[in-house]
Amino acid sequence: QVQLVESGGGLVQAGGSLRLSCAASGGTFRNYAMAWFRLAPGKEREFVAANSRSGGNTGTALSVKGRFTISRDNAKNTWYLQMNSLKPEDTAVYYCAADRNPITWSSWAAYGSWGQGTQVTVSS
């Protein structure tokens, strides 16, 4: 399985932006589909966005649609989550996940590789 390391989290005011990165190693990058999930205190793990192996297909949760964009750079073995117009309810630990063939993009159980998570805090 590929190894994943997230970065880019931090503290930002409501309305601000952050870009999360997920660097992959130990596997052939283009063979993996990936997704971002988040976990907030007292809540269940939530699907945020997913990206196919080719990068040609993406899926985004309704709660972040129009504000968050998922992308990948195959030359850098890195996925990104651009987060704009952040809201306090976006506060969570964000995780990237990858798998060769996730059966269901939005299910965390479909992914075999996970990063350690990066904290995003949005102040009001």
Side-chain angles (χ1 to χ4, degrees):
Q1 292 285 2
V2 67
Q3 288 78 52
L4 306 175
V5 178
E6 301 101 333
S7 61
L11 174 63
V12 64
Q13 289 188 333
S17 298
L18 283 174
R19 189 177 78 160
L20 305 183
S21 299
C22 176
S25 63
T28 304
F29 185 75
R30 63 179 181 273
N31 288 343
Y32 288 84
M34 72 87 59
W36 289 94
F37 290 80
R38 65 186 182 185
L39 182 61
K43 295 185 178 181
E44 294 185 354
R45 189 165 5 190
E46 179 187 13
F47 167 76
V48 176
N51 183 261
S52 64
R53 286 179 289 182
S54 68
N57 295 310
T58 62
T60 309
L62 289 176
S63 59
V64 304
K65 205 171 189 65
R67 300 187 297 121
F68 291 12
T69 303
I70 189 172
S71 64
R72 63 192 295 156
D73 186 334
N74 286 345
K76 296 182 178 180
N77 287 3
T78 301
W79 290 282
Y80 302 99
L81 183 68
Q82 178 66 44
M83 306 186 295
N84 299 328
S85 302
L86 282 161
K87 304 176 181 180
E89 51 263 43
D90 294 320
T91 295
V93 177
Y94 284 71
Y95 298 88
C96 64
D99 200 273
R100 292 176 181 269
N101 188 27
I103 296 175
T104 305
W105 276 13
S106 61
S107 172
W108 66 267
Y111 296 88
S113 297
W114 289 83
Q116 82 287 355
T118 185
Q119 176 71 47
V120 171
T121 303
V122 184
S123 63
S124 57

